[in-house]
Amino acid sequence: MKLDRITSNPNRMNGQPCIRNLRLTVRRVIELLATYPNREELCQEFPELEEEDIRQALIFASSYLDDRIIELSPNNETAA
């Protein structure tokens, strides 16, 4: 899988993974997606952010999550 829009430079943003060498970290993109559920608003506020940037940021972030099963206590179960 090619993530050519994710860059990392030790001299920029403390080496955090960024989008296309911009001062926009992958972490910030994920936060923005949570803050702006409407992508049109997000694109208006951050016109430099492209759809492919968002897609690759999501792929990059998800690659660091483990697939594991977490047992929930009965108090945390939801009723159907």
Side-chain angles (χ1 to χ4, degrees):
M1 180 178 324
K2 186 176 178 184
L3 298 177
D4 57 347
R5 292 176 177 239
I6 308 298
T7 59
S8 183
N9 179 340
N11 298 319
R12 176 169 280 179
M13 304 299 289
N14 294 321
Q16 295 179 61
C18 293
I19 303 297
R20 293 182 287 121
N21 282 318
L22 300 171
R23 292 187 172 278
L24 191 57
T25 64
V26 169
R27 180 177 188 265
R28 181 71 176 135
V29 171
I30 302 304
E31 288 173 345
L32 291 171
L33 287 170
T35 305
Y36 292 89
N38 182 337
R39 291 255 178 112
E40 287 181 21
E41 288 181 41
L42 174 61
C43 291
Q44 287 175 354
E45 291 291 322
F46 295 88
E48 69 278 13
L49 193 59
E50 299 173 7
E51 192 63 35
E52 183 62 14
D53 298 330
I54 294 170
R55 188 182 79 76
Q56 288 193 23
L58 288 168
I59 291 169
F60 183 86
S62 69
S63 71
Y64 283 92
L65 299 173
D66 290 334
D67 283 336
R68 60 184 173 170
I69 297 173
I70 300 174
E71 295 291 330
L72 298 177
S73 69
N75 297 338
N76 292 333
E77 291 182 16
T78 59

Coordinates of all heavy atoms in Angstrom, one line a residue:
M1 N 0.8 -1.2 0.0 CA 0.0 0.0 0.0 C 0.9 1.2 0.0 O 1.8 1.4 0.8 CB -0.9 0.0 1.2 CG -1.8 1.1 1.4 SD -2.9 1.0 2.8 CE -3.2 -0.7 2.9
K2 N 0.7 2.1 -0.9 CA 1.5 3.3 -1.1 C 0.9 4.5 -0.4 O -0.2 4.9 -0.7 CB 1.7 3.6 -2.6 CG 2.6 4.7 -2.9 CD 2.7 4.8 -4.4 CE 3.6 6.0 -4.7 NZ 3.7 6.2 -6.2
L3 N 1.6 5.0 0.6 CA 1.1 6.2 1.3 C 2.1 7.3 1.0 O 2.9 7.8 1.8 CB 1.1 5.9 2.8 CG 0.1 4.8 3.3 CD1 0.2 4.6 4.8 CD2 -1.3 5.2 2.9
D4 N 2.1 7.8 -0.2 CA 3.0 8.8 -0.7 C 2.7 10.2 -0.2 O 3.5 11.1 -0.4 CB 3.1 8.7 -2.2 CG 1.8 9.0 -2.9 OD1 0.7 8.9 -2.3 OD2 1.8 9.2 -4.1
R5 N 1.6 10.4 0.4 CA 1.2 11.8 0.9 C 1.6 11.9 2.4 O 1.5 13.0 2.9 CB -0.2 12.0 0.7 CG -0.6 12.2 -0.8 CD -2.0 12.3 -1.0 NE -2.3 12.5 -2.4 CZ -2.9 13.6 -2.9 NH1 -3.2 14.6 -2.1 NH2 -3.1 13.7 -4.2
I6 N 2.0 10.9 3.0 CA 2.4 10.9 4.4 C 3.9 11.1 4.5 O 4.7 10.3 3.9 CB 2.0 9.6 5.2 CG1 0.5 9.3 5.0 CG2 2.3 9.7 6.7 CD1 -0.4 10.4 5.5
T7 N 4.4 12.2 5.1 CA 5.8 12.5 5.1 C 6.2 12.7 6.6 O 5.4 13.0 7.5 CB 6.1 13.8 4.3 OG1 5.4 14.8 4.9 CG2 5.8 13.6 2.9
S8 N 7.5 12.5 6.8 CA 8.0 12.7 8.2 C 9.4 13.3 8.0 O 10.3 12.8 7.3 CB 8.1 11.3 8.9 OG 8.6 11.5 10.2
N9 N 9.6 14.4 8.7 CA 10.8 15.1 8.7 C 11.2 15.5 10.1 O 10.4 16.2 10.8 CB 10.7 16.4 7.8 CG 11.9 17.2 7.7 OD1 12.8 17.1 8.5 ND2 12.0 18.0 6.7
P10 N 12.3 15.1 10.6 CA 12.7 15.4 12.0 C 12.8 16.9 12.3 O 12.6 17.3 13.4 CB 14.1 14.7 12.2 CG 14.4 14.0 11.0 CD 13.3 14.3 9.9
N11 N 12.9 17.7 11.3 CA 13.0 19.1 11.4 C 11.7 19.8 11.3 O 11.6 21.1 11.4 CB 14.0 19.7 10.4 CG 15.4 19.1 10.6 OD1 15.9 19.0 11.7 ND2 16.1 18.8 9.5
R12 N 10.6 19.1 11.1 CA 9.3 19.7 10.9 C 8.3 19.0 11.8 O 8.2 17.8 11.8 CB 8.9 19.6 9.5 CG 7.5 20.2 9.3 CD 7.1 20.3 7.9 NE 7.8 21.6 7.4 CZ 7.7 22.1 6.2 NH1 7.1 21.4 5.3 NH2 8.3 23.2 5.9
M13 N 7.6 19.8 12.6 CA 6.6 19.2 13.5 C 7.1 18.1 14.4 O 6.5 17.1 14.6 CB 5.4 18.7 12.7 CG 4.7 19.8 11.8 SD 4.1 21.2 12.7 CE 2.7 20.6 13.5
N14 N 8.4 18.2 14.8 CA 9.0 17.2 15.7 C 9.0 15.8 15.1 O 9.0 14.8 15.8 CB 8.4 17.2 17.1 CG 8.6 18.5 17.8 OD1 9.7 19.1 17.7 ND2 7.6 19.0 18.5
G15 N 9.0 15.7 13.8 CA 9.1 14.4 13.1 C 7.8 13.7 13.1 O 7.7 12.6 12.6
Q16 N 6.7 14.3 13.5 CA 5.4 13.7 13.4 C 5.0 13.5 11.9 O 5.3 14.3 11.1 CB 4.3 14.5 14.1 CG 4.5 14.7 15.6 CD 3.4 15.6 16.1 OE1 2.3 15.3 16.0 NE2 3.8 16.7 16.7
P17 N 4.3 12.4 11.7 CA 3.8 12.2 10.3 C 2.9 13.3 9.9 O 1.9 13.7 10.6 CB 3.1 10.8 10.4 CG 3.3 10.3 11.7 CD 3.9 11.3 12.6
C18 N 3.2 13.9 8.7 CA 2.4 15.0 8.2 C 1.9 14.7 6.8 O 2.2 13.7 6.2 CB 3.3 16.2 8.1 SG 3.9 16.9 9.6
I19 N 1.0 15.6 6.3 CA 0.4 15.4 5.0 C 1.2 16.3 4.1 O 1.3 17.5 4.2 CB -1.1 15.9 5.0 CG1 -1.9 15.2 6.0 CG2 -1.7 15.9 3.6 CD1 -2.1 13.7 5.7
R20 N 1.8 15.7 3.1 CA 2.6 16.3 2.0 C 3.5 17.4 2.5 O 3.6 18.5 1.9 CB 1.6 16.9 1.0 CG 0.8 15.8 0.2 CD -0.1 16.4 -0.8 NE -1.3 17.0 -0.2 CZ -1.6 18.3 -0.4 NH1 -0.9 19.1 -1.1 NH2 -2.7 18.8 0.2
N21 N 4.2 17.2 3.5 CA 5.2 18.2 4.1 C 4.5 19.5 4.5 O 5.2 20.5 4.7 CB 6.3 18.5 3.1 CG 7.4 17.4 3.0 OD1 7.7 16.9 4.1 ND2 7.8 17.0 1.8
L22 N 3.2 19.5 4.7 CA 2.5 20.6 5.2 C 2.7 20.6 6.7 O 3.0 19.5 7.3 CB 1.1 20.6 4.8 CG 0.7 20.6 3.4 CD1 -0.8 20.4 3.1 CD2 1.1 22.0 2.8
R23 N 2.3 21.6 7.4 CA 2.3 21.6 8.8 C 1.0 21.2 9.3 O 0.3 21.8 10.2 CB 2.7 23.0 9.4 CG 4.1 23.4 9.1 CD 4.4 24.7 9.8 NE 5.9 25.0 9.7 CZ 6.8 24.4 10.4 NH1 6.5 23.6 11.4 NH2 8.1 24.7 10.3
L24 N 0.6 20.0 8.8 CA -0.7 19.4 9.1 C -0.5 17.9 9.4 O -0.2 17.2 8.5 CB -1.7 19.6 7.9 CG -3.1 19.3 8.1 CD1 -3.7 20.1 9.3 CD2 -3.9 19.6 6.8
T25 N -0.5 17.6 10.6 CA -0.1 16.2 11.0 C -1.3 15.3 10.8 O -2.4 15.7 10.7 CB 0.2 16.1 12.5 OG1 -0.9 16.5 13.3 CG2 1.4 17.0 12.9
V26 N -0.9 14.0 10.6 CA -2.0 13.0 10.5 C -2.9 13.0 11.7 O -4.1 12.9 11.5 CB -1.3 11.6 10.3 CG1 -2.3 10.5 10.5 CG2 -0.5 11.5 9.0
R27 N -2.4 13.2 12.9 CA -3.2 13.3 14.1 C -4.2 14.4 14.0 O -5.4 14.2 14.3 CB -2.3 13.5 15.3 CG -3.1 13.5 16.6 CD -2.1 13.7 17.8 NE -2.8 13.6 19.0 CZ -3.3 14.6 19.7 NH1 -3.1 15.8 19.3 NH2 -3.9 14.4 20.8
R28 N -3.8 15.5 13.5 CA -4.7 16.7 13.3 C -5.8 16.4 12.3 O -6.9 16.8 12.5 CB -3.8 17.9 12.9 CG -4.7 19.1 12.8 CD -5.1 19.6 14.1 NE -5.9 20.9 13.9 CZ -7.0 21.2 14.5 NH1 -7.6 20.3 15.3 NH2 -7.6 22.3 14.3
V29 N -5.4 15.7 11.2 CA -6.4 15.4 10.2 C -7.5 14.5 10.9 O -8.7 14.7 10.6 CB -5.8 14.7 9.0 CG1 -6.9 14.1 8.1 CG2 -4.9 15.7 8.3
I30 N -7.1 13.5 11.7 CA -8.1 12.6 12.3 C -9.0 13.4 13.3 O -10.2 13.3 13.3 CB -7.3 11.5 13.1 CG1 -6.5 10.7 12.2 CG2 -8.3 10.6 13.8 CD1 -7.2 10.1 11.0
E31 N -8.4 14.4 14.0 CA -9.1 15.2 14.9 C -10.1 16.1 14.1 O -11.3 16.3 14.5 CB -8.2 16.2 15.7 CG -7.4 15.5 16.8 CD -6.4 16.4 17.4 OE1 -6.1 17.5 16.8 OE2 -5.8 16.0 18.4
L32 N -9.7 16.6 13.0 CA -10.6 17.4 12.1 C -11.7 16.6 11.6 O -12.9 17.1 11.5 CB -9.8 18.0 11.0 CG -8.8 19.1 11.3 CD1 -7.9 19.4 10.1 CD2 -9.4 20.3 11.9
L33 N -11.5 15.4 11.3 CA -12.6 14.5 10.8 C -13.7 14.3 11.9 O -14.8 14.3 11.6 CB -12.1 13.2 10.3 CG -11.3 13.2 9.0 CD1 -10.6 11.9 8.8 CD2 -12.3 13.5 7.9
A34 N -13.2 14.2 13.1 CA -14.2 14.1 14.2 C -14.9 15.4 14.5 O -16.1 15.4 14.9 CB -13.4 13.6 15.5
T35 N -14.2 16.5 14.3 CA -14.8 17.9 14.6 C -15.7 18.3 13.5 O -16.7 19.0 13.7 CB -13.6 18.9 14.7 OG1 -12.7 18.4 15.7 CG2 -14.2 20.2 15.1
Y36 N -15.4 18.0 12.2 CA -16.2 18.4 11.1 C -16.8 17.2 10.4 O -16.3 16.6 9.5 CB -15.3 19.1 10.0 CG -14.7 20.4 10.4 CD1 -13.5 20.5 11.1 CD2 -15.4 21.6 10.1 CE1 -13.0 21.7 11.4 CE2 -14.9 22.8 10.5 CZ -13.7 22.9 11.1 OH -13.2 24.1 11.5
P37 N -18.0 16.7 10.9 CA -18.6 15.6 10.3 C -19.0 15.8 8.8 O -19.1 14.9 8.0 CB -19.8 15.3 11.2 CG -20.0 16.5 12.0 CD -18.7 17.2 12.0
N38 N -19.2 17.1 8.5 CA -19.5 17.5 7.1 C -18.2 17.8 6.4 O -17.5 18.8 6.7 CB -20.4 18.7 7.1 CG -20.8 19.1 5.7 OD1 -20.2 18.8 4.7 ND2 -21.9 19.8 5.6
R39 N -17.8 16.9 5.4 CA -16.6 17.1 4.7 C -16.5 18.4 3.9 O -15.4 18.9 3.7 CB -16.3 15.9 3.7 CG -16.0 14.6 4.4 CD -14.6 14.3 4.3 NE -14.3 13.1 5.0 CZ -13.9 11.9 4.5 NH1 -13.8 11.9 3.2 NH2 -13.7 10.9 5.2
E40 N -17.6 18.9 3.5 CA -17.6 20.2 2.7 C -17.1 21.3 3.6 O -16.3 22.2 3.2 CB -19.0 20.5 2.2 CG -19.4 19.6 1.0 CD -20.8 20.0 0.5 OE1 -21.3 21.1 0.7 OE2 -21.4 19.1 -0.2
E41 N -17.6 21.3 4.9 CA -17.1 22.4 5.8 C -15.6 22.2 6.1 O -14.9 23.2 6.1 CB -17.9 22.3 7.1 CG -19.3 22.7 7.1 CD -20.0 22.6 8.4 OE1 -19.3 22.9 9.5 OE2 -21.1 22.2 8.5
L42 N -15.2 21.0 6.2 CA -13.8 20.7 6.5 C -12.9 21.2 5.3 O -11.9 21.9 5.5 CB -13.5 19.2 6.7 CG -12.1 18.7 6.8 CD1 -11.4 19.3 8.0 CD2 -12.0 17.2 6.8
C43 N -13.4 21.0 4.1 CA -12.6 21.4 2.9 C -12.7 22.9 2.8 O -11.7 23.5 2.2 CB -13.2 20.7 1.7 SG -12.8 19.0 1.6
Q44 N -13.7 23.6 3.2 CA -13.8 25.0 3.2 C -12.8 25.6 4.2 O -12.1 26.6 3.9 CB -15.2 25.5 3.5 CG -16.2 25.3 2.4 CD -17.6 25.7 2.7 OE1 -17.9 26.0 3.9 NE2 -18.5 25.6 1.8
E45 N -12.7 25.0 5.4 CA -11.8 25.5 6.4 C -10.3 25.2 6.1 O -9.4 26.0 6.4 CB -12.1 25.0 7.7 CG -13.4 25.5 8.3 CD -13.3 27.0 8.7 OE1 -12.3 27.4 9.2 OE2 -14.3 27.7 8.5
F46 N -10.1 24.1 5.4 CA -8.7 23.6 5.1 C -8.7 23.3 3.6 O -8.6 22.1 3.2 CB -8.4 22.4 6.0 CG -8.3 22.7 7.4 CD1 -9.4 22.6 8.2 CD2 -7.1 23.1 8.0 CE1 -9.3 22.9 9.6 CE2 -7.0 23.4 9.3 CZ -8.1 23.3 10.1
P47 N -8.6 24.3 2.7 CA -8.7 24.0 1.3 C -7.4 23.3 0.8 O -7.5 22.6 -0.3 CB -8.8 25.4 0.7 CG -8.3 26.3 1.7 CD -8.6 25.7 3.0
E48 N -6.4 23.3 1.5 CA -5.1 22.6 1.1 C -5.3 21.1 1.3 O -4.5 20.3 0.7 CB -3.9 23.1 1.8 CG -3.9 22.8 3.3 CD -4.7 23.7 4.2 OE1 -5.5 24.5 3.7 OE2 -4.5 23.6 5.4
L49 N -6.2 20.7 2.1 CA -6.5 19.2 2.4 C -7.3 18.6 1.3 O -8.4 19.0 1.0 CB -7.2 19.1 3.7 CG -7.2 17.7 4.4 CD1 -5.8 17.2 4.6 CD2 -8.0 17.8 5.7
E50 N -6.8 17.6 0.7 CA -7.4 16.9 -0.4 C -8.0 15.6 0.0 O -7.6 15.0 1.0 CB -6.5 16.7 -1.6 CG -5.9 18.0 -2.2 CD -4.8 17.7 -3.2 OE1 -4.5 16.6 -3.6 OE2 -4.2 18.7 -3.6
E51 N -9.0 15.1 -0.7 CA -9.6 13.8 -0.3 C -8.6 12.7 -0.2 O -8.7 11.9 0.7 CB -10.7 13.5 -1.4 CG -11.6 12.4 -1.0 CD -12.5 12.7 0.3 OE1 -12.9 13.8 0.5 OE2 -12.7 11.7 1.1
E52 N -7.6 12.6 -1.1 CA -6.6 11.6 -1.0 C -5.8 11.7 0.3 O -5.3 10.7 0.9 CB -5.8 11.6 -2.2 CG -4.7 10.5 -2.3 CD -5.3 9.0 -2.3 OE1 -6.5 8.8 -2.5 OE2 -4.5 8.1 -2.0
D53 N -5.6 12.9 0.7 CA -4.8 13.2 2.0 C -5.6 12.6 3.1 O -5.0 11.9 4.0 CB -4.7 14.7 2.2 CG -3.9 15.4 1.2 OD1 -3.0 14.8 0.6 OD2 -4.1 16.6 1.0
I54 N -6.9 12.8 3.2 CA -7.8 12.2 4.2 C -7.7 10.7 4.2 O -7.6 10.1 5.2 CB -9.2 12.8 4.1 CG1 -9.2 14.3 4.3 CG2 -10.1 12.1 5.0 CD1 -10.5 15.0 4.0
R55 N -7.9 10.2 3.0 CA -7.9 8.7 2.9 C -6.6 8.1 3.4 O -6.6 7.1 4.2 CB -8.1 8.3 1.4 CG -8.3 6.8 1.2 CD -8.5 6.5 -0.3 NE -7.2 6.4 -1.0 CZ -6.4 5.4 -0.9 NH1 -6.7 4.4 -0.1 NH2 -5.2 5.4 -1.6
Q56 N -5.5 8.7 3.0 CA -4.2 8.1 3.4 C -3.9 8.3 4.9 O -3.3 7.5 5.6 CB -3.1 8.7 2.6 CG -3.0 8.2 1.2 CD -1.8 8.5 0.4 OE1 -0.7 8.7 1.0 NE2 -1.9 8.4 -0.9
A57 N -4.4 9.4 5.5 CA -4.3 9.7 6.9 C -5.1 8.6 7.7 O -4.6 8.1 8.7 CB -4.8 11.1 7.3
L58 N -6.3 8.3 7.2 CA -7.0 7.2 7.9 C -6.4 5.9 7.8 O -6.3 5.1 8.7 CB -8.4 7.2 7.3 CG -9.4 8.3 7.6 CD1 -10.6 8.3 6.7 CD2 -9.7 8.3 9.1
I59 N -5.8 5.5 6.6 CA -5.1 4.3 6.4 C -3.9 4.2 7.3 O -3.6 3.2 8.0 CB -4.7 4.1 5.0 CG1 -6.0 3.8 4.1 CG2 -3.7 2.9 4.8 CD1 -5.7 3.9 2.6
F60 N -3.1 5.3 7.4 CA -1.9 5.4 8.2 C -2.3 5.2 9.7 O -1.7 4.4 10.4 CB -1.2 6.7 8.0 CG 0.1 6.9 8.7 CD1 1.2 6.4 8.2 CD2 0.1 7.4 10.0 CE1 2.4 6.5 8.9 CE2 1.3 7.6 10.7 CZ 2.5 7.1 10.1
A61 N -3.3 5.9 10.1 CA -3.7 5.8 11.6 C -4.2 4.4 11.9 O -3.8 3.9 12.9 CB -4.7 6.9 11.9
S62 N -5.0 3.8 11.0 CA -5.5 2.5 11.3 C -4.4 1.4 11.3 O -4.6 0.4 12.0 CB -6.6 2.2 10.3 OG -6.1 1.9 9.0
S63 N -3.4 1.7 10.6 CA -2.3 0.7 10.6 C -1.6 0.5 11.9 O -0.9 -0.4 12.2 CB -1.3 1.0 9.5 OG -0.5 2.1 9.8
Y64 N -1.8 1.5 12.8 CA -1.2 1.4 14.1 C -2.1 0.9 15.2 O -1.7 0.8 16.4 CB -0.7 2.8 14.6 CG 0.6 3.2 13.8 CD1 0.6 3.9 12.6 CD2 1.8 2.8 14.4 CE1 1.7 4.2 12.0 CE2 3.0 3.1 13.7 CZ 2.9 3.8 12.5 OH 4.1 4.1 11.8
L65 N -3.3 0.5 14.8 CA -4.2 -0.1 15.8 C -4.2 -1.6 15.7 O -4.2 -2.2 14.6 CB -5.6 0.4 15.5 CG -5.8 1.9 15.6 CD1 -7.2 2.3 15.1 CD2 -5.6 2.4 17.0
D66 N -4.2 -2.3 16.8 CA -4.2 -3.7 16.9 C -5.6 -4.2 16.8 O -6.6 -3.6 17.3 CB -3.7 -4.2 18.3 CG -2.2 -4.0 18.4 OD1 -1.5 -3.9 17.3 OD2 -1.7 -3.9 19.5
D67 N -5.8 -5.3 16.1 CA -7.1 -6.0 16.1 C -7.1 -6.9 17.3 O -6.3 -7.9 17.4 CB -7.3 -6.9 14.8 CG -7.6 -6.0 13.6 OD1 -8.1 -4.9 13.8 OD2 -7.3 -6.5 12.5
R68 N -7.9 -6.6 18.3 CA -8.0 -7.5 19.5 C -9.4 -7.4 20.0 O -10.1 -6.4 19.8 CB -7.0 -7.1 20.5 CG -7.1 -5.7 21.0 CD -6.0 -5.3 22.0 NE -6.1 -3.9 22.3 CZ -5.5 -3.3 23.2 NH1 -4.6 -3.9 23.9 NH2 -5.6 -2.0 23.4
I69 N -9.8 -8.4 20.8 CA -11.1 -8.4 21.4 C -10.9 -8.0 22.8 O -10.1 -8.5 23.6 CB -11.7 -9.8 21.3 CG1 -11.9 -10.2 19.8 CG2 -13.0 -9.9 22.1 CD1 -12.3 -11.7 19.6
I70 N -11.8 -7.0 23.2 CA -11.8 -6.5 24.6 C -13.1 -6.9 25.2 O -14.2 -6.6 24.7 CB -11.6 -5.0 24.6 CG1 -10.3 -4.6 23.9 CG2 -11.7 -4.4 26.0 CD1 -10.1 -3.1 23.8
E71 N -13.0 -7.6 26.3 CA -14.2 -8.1 27.0 C -14.8 -6.9 27.8 O -14.1 -6.2 28.5 CB -13.9 -9.2 28.0 CG -13.4 -10.5 27.3 CD -14.5 -11.2 26.5 OE1 -15.7 -11.1 26.9 OE2 -14.2 -11.8 25.5
L72 N -16.1 -6.6 27.6 CA -16.7 -5.6 28.3 C -17.5 -6.2 29.5 O -18.1 -7.3 29.4 CB -17.7 -4.8 27.4 CG -17.1 -4.1 26.2 CD1 -18.2 -3.5 25.3 CD2 -16.1 -3.0 26.7
S73 N -17.6 -5.4 30.6 CA -18.4 -5.9 31.7 C -19.9 -5.8 31.3 O -20.2 -5.0 30.5 CB -18.0 -5.1 32.9 OG -18.5 -3.8 32.8
P74 N -20.7 -6.5 32.0 CA -22.1 -6.5 31.7 C -22.7 -5.1 31.9 O -23.7 -4.7 31.2 CB -22.8 -7.4 32.7 CG -21.7 -8.4 33.1 CD -20.4 -7.6 33.0
N75 N -22.1 -4.2 32.7 CA -22.6 -2.9 32.9 C -22.4 -2.0 31.6 O -23.1 -1.0 31.5 CB -21.9 -2.2 34.1 CG -22.1 -2.9 35.4 OD1 -23.1 -3.6 35.5 ND2 -21.3 -2.7 36.3
N76 N -21.5 -2.4 30.8 CA -21.2 -1.6 29.6 C -21.9 -2.1 28.3 O -21.8 -1.5 27.3 CB -19.7 -1.6 29.3 CG -18.9 -0.9 30.3 OD1 -19.4 0.1 31.0 ND2 -17.7 -1.2 30.5
E77 N -22.7 -3.1 28.5 CA -23.4 -3.6 27.3 C -24.6 -2.7 27.0 O -25.3 -2.2 27.9 CB -23.9 -5.1 27.5 CG -22.8 -6.1 27.6 CD -23.2 -7.5 27.8 OE1 -24.4 -7.7 27.6 OE2 -22.4 -8.3 28.2
T78 N -25.0 -2.6 25.7 CA -26.1 -1.8 25.4 C -27.3 -2.7 25.1 O -27.2 -3.8 24.6 CB -25.8 -1.0 24.1 OG1 -25.5 -1.8 23.1 CG2 -24.7 0.0 24.4
A79 N -28.5 -2.2 25.3 CA -29.7 -3.0 25.1 C -30.1 -2.8 23.6 O -30.0 -1.7 23.1 CB -30.8 -2.5 26.0
A80 N -30.5 -3.9 23.0 CA -30.9 -3.8 21.6 C -32.4 -3.5 21.5 O -33.2 -3.7 22.3 CB -30.6 -5.1 20.9

